[in-house]
Amino acid sequence: MAERESKFLELLSAPVIEVEELAQLSCYGIAESCGIRALTWRVLLKYLPSKRNVWDATLLRTREEYHGFVNDLIICPGNKGYSEKRADVTLEDHPLNPNPCSEWNSYFQDNEVLNQIDKDVRRLCPDISFFQNATPYPCDALVDPSNRSERLHRRVQKNSLHYQNVSKNRLGMMAGVISKKKQAVHEYVALPEGSEAHWEVVERILFIYAKLNPGTGYVQGMNEIIGPLYYTFASDPNKEWAKHAECDTFFCFTNLMSEIRDHFIKTLDDSTTGINGSMDRVVNLLKNADQEVWQLLQEQNIRKEFYLFRWMSLLLSQEFSLPDTIQMWDSLFADQHRFDLLVCVCVAMIVLVRDRLLHGDFGHNMKLLQNYPETIDISDIINKAHDVAKHIKGRNW
């Protein structure tokens, strides 16, 4: 272990980081005892360039850019800020204006998206208390009541929205067969004046992302992707890095979504890069890896979307505890051909419970796949996934 830690530190401190070598070292997990997981993720997610001498300039630029996003979209919105005291209603700009370019129309659309984000982040990672705790680095312009900047959760409360979901709710379309494995008993509450909970920071990041990416917007489930990222960066033992966790999370999340966004876009479902194409790859690979289990699932009519939809869309973040998810993501982010390894991981998960599947009926096997056993060690899954990957080179899977 000490040798691996030394190797990580050596690679990350080099003037030019050998990213491929860093990825190879990370593919079975990152030596977190030396506190370099967050830094490694920043490199593997292509946020930090390989040349260390340009890091300062890169970080200065991105942090100034993100500060601009927060100021323009949260603190001083460019669409005039519709407060309770608004009185400048005109014929050209009023709440009932049907013009899609109307600032009021944009405001109401933002509220609908914000309502869903707020609802989702208040239940984030219920297996730990982290997200309901106060961040040591709140946004001063928002938590200081004298600044009169409207915090997002208050905007939701003030408008008293009652939308059932956002039109881009991808996981909700399978509500009858795909329920969340990890559910919060209670929603997180806002902290007193002067404080800001971690879930509020995540809410801000997701809202800014949705505003800047209208083609994708916010889709339910993105909160499960951003949660482990933010937790990892905000928990960085290097306090100077942790101080900028919000900004770094935004850009790493944006980079990650650029690679998996096709899974969140309904019109691309049946494309080779869409969710159905990815699920088909798992099924085809399973057929090659374990014909008997594949045949059983076919006979029992256990459709791929019953379990693979959630597994793949959320990068398995709902199937494991947060620490196990983070360990799994070490391997997924290290994959040079993302996300081929995710396909192999899904196959490995099925193969590792093959005996239970072969002795189970439809009901038993559905429950098993939708509530994957916590007794299966995450390292065993990763090792099995790499074994599966070794035997598929050259195959059309």
Side-chain angles (χ1 to χ4, degrees), residues 313-349:
S313 294
L314 305 184
L315 300 182
L316 300 166
S317 61
Q318 279 286 298
E319 313 316 310
F320 306 110
S321 66
L322 183 59
D324 283 350
T325 297
I326 289 172
Q327 184 181 347
M328 176 66 73
W329 283 15
D330 288 344
S331 299
L332 295 183
F333 295 163
D335 182 11
Q336 296 288 292
H337 304 285
R338 288 198 291 261
F339 280 90
D340 284 355
L341 186 63
L342 175 62
V343 175
C344 298
V345 167
C346 292
V347 172
M349 289 171 63

Side-chain angles (χ1 to χ4, degrees), residues 144-191:
D144 185 350
S146 65
N147 289 335
R148 295 186 177 181
S149 296
E150 187 175 45
R151 295 168 72 169
L152 293 179
H153 70 85
R154 285 184 180 166
R155 178 168 158 182
V156 171
Q157 293 171 344
K158 186 177 73 178
N159 286 278
S160 302
L161 302 178
H162 298 289
Y163 300 107
Q164 291 185 343
N165 52 48
V166 176
S167 59
K168 293 182 179 181
N169 180 347
R170 299 283 285 115
L171 298 183
M173 73 176 187
M174 299 296 296
V177 293
I178 297 184
S179 60
K180 285 191 175 183
K181 182 177 179 180
K182 297 189 290 186
Q183 293 182 322
V185 178
H186 304 291
E187 290 188 348
Y188 303 149
V189 298
L191 299 180

Side-chain angles (χ1 to χ4, degrees), residues 320-385:
F320 306 110
S321 66
L322 183 59
D324 283 350
T325 297
I326 289 172
Q327 184 181 347
M328 176 66 73
W329 283 15
D330 288 344
S331 299
L332 295 183
F333 295 163
D335 182 11
Q336 296 288 292
H337 304 285
R338 288 198 291 261
F339 280 90
D340 284 355
L341 186 63
L342 175 62
V343 175
C344 298
V345 167
C346 292
V347 172
M349 289 171 63
I350 299 170
V351 172
L352 285 173
V353 295
R354 71 181 311 276
D355 290 341
R356 303 187 206 188
L357 289 169
L358 292 175
H359 290 89
D361 58 13
F362 172 84
H364 171 274
N365 290 342
M366 277 284 291
K367 183 177 180 180
L368 179 64
L369 294 173
Q370 291 188 343
N371 296 273
Y372 197 77
E374 296 179 359
T375 54
I376 306 295
D377 190 272
I378 203 73
S379 296
D380 292 338
I381 298 174
I382 294 171
N383 290 335
K384 186 65 177 179

Side-chain angles (χ1 to χ4, degrees), residues 193-212:
E193 290 289 351
S195 299
E196 186 174 43
H198 287 292
W199 67 262
E200 293 184 70
V201 180
V202 175
E203 178 176 54
R204 182 161 58 244
I205 300 171
L206 287 172
F207 182 70
I208 291 173
Y209 175 83
K211 287 287 290 181
L212 296 177

Side-chain angles (χ1 to χ4, degrees), residues 55-107:
W55 281 10
D56 288 345
T58 299
L59 293 172
L60 179 63
R61 174 182 56 80
T62 57
R63 287 163 184 173
E64 287 182 349
E65 186 176 359
Y66 186 74
H67 177 76
F69 295 154
V70 173
N71 186 70
D72 294 343
L73 301 175
I74 308 294
I75 299 174
C76 302
N79 60 357
K80 296 184 181 180
Y82 301 101
S83 68
E84 298 164 341
K85 299 180 180 179
R86 179 179 173 82
D88 57 334
V89 176
T90 66
L91 290 176
E92 292 76 23
D93 180 21
H94 59 86
L96 301 182
N97 187 346
N99 187 341
C101 297
S102 163
E103 291 179 348
W104 274 105
N105 185 60
S106 175
Y107 179 74

Side-chain angles (χ1 to χ4, degrees), residues 8 18 34 70 77 81 83 89-90 110 116 129 137 148 150 182 203 205 236 240 244 270 274-275 277 289 330 374:
F8 269 109
E18 296 293 338
C34 54
V70 173
S83 68
V89 176
T90 66
D110 287 349
Q116 185 64 64
S129 61
Y137 310 108
R148 295 186 177 181
E150 187 175 45
K182 297 189 290 186
E203 178 176 54
I205 300 171
D236 196 321
E240 186 58 33
H244 299 284
D270 296 321
I275 187 62
D330 288 344
E374 296 179 359

